[in-house]
Amino acid sequence: MKRSEYFHERVIWITGASSGIGAACARLFAKEGARIALSARSGDKLAQLADEIGGGDCLVLPFDVTDREANHRAVAAIRERFGGLDTAFFNAGTWKPMDLPHFDPRDFDKTFQVNVMGMVNGIEAALPELEKSERGHLVGMSSSVAYRGIPRAEAYCASKAATRALLQALRCQLKPRGVPVSIVLPGFVKSPLTETNDFDMPFLMETEDAARKIAIGMARYRGEIAFPWQMIAIFRLLALLPDSLYTSMMAKKVVRG
């Protein structure tokens, strides 16, 4: 399917849309002819983005994805405004680096509440509408670190591995019901989350380039939309290494700081 055909008048709900990949995708999808519902906690940023996109085919729905009922209210508002929902892109996420001896379960709880349960809440609310649509499509954000856990990102890696496994399993149940599932697995992309990183980020991508990769993958209903290829190749190779070798390599990097 051509990208323009996929996005033309398609109703797309994007969570985590106030900045970064979410905002870049909203701009691109709208330019391609989609009708967009924008969600994030920051209503002011969403309103600015909606003004930038322009037109009457943009709906602003500020809320916290960890609020289960708020997800249902958002989908109800989308249905009332657009008559249904074609694509749900669950992009909201957070991350916090970890350094031993600091190991706080509260960091895991917050990360999982946003990255995993935020997606679960959205899926519960969106699934009935996606199944009604003749072109329903479920898209979820994971990460290249879902292939192999890396030090200092224990909570983040665990949450992204969980979202990948969740979407892989759900894909099997939704295929007979006519709803394809795509998993987005990016490497490092310029965003408010990566701006605070205090380490080298190889193959760092511009946000707009990441949005184009996602748009192409969505239009082709790819099961996994993974990029950039260099980063994905590295992580897939790391996933194949024996645990003892991988652990030794990563431990040396930790010691070197």
Side-chain angles (χ1 to χ4, degrees), residues 85-86 126-137 173-174 176-179:
L85 175 63
D86 299 313
L127 266 184
E129 294 301 321
L130 297 181
E131 290 193 58
K132 290 177 188 176
S133 171
E134 294 182 355
R135 50 180 184 166
H137 189 187
Q173 293 209 65
L174 288 178
R177 305 171 77 90
V179 179

Side-chain angles (χ1 to χ4, degrees), residues 34-64:
R35 294 174 287 177
I36 309 293
L38 305 170
S39 291
R41 289 179 298 173
S42 176
D44 291 342
K45 290 183 179 179
L46 292 179
Q48 292 175 6
L49 178 59
D51 287 342
E52 180 183 340
I53 292 173
D57 287 337
C58 188
L59 176 63
V60 172
L61 298 167
F63 74 97
D64 189 327

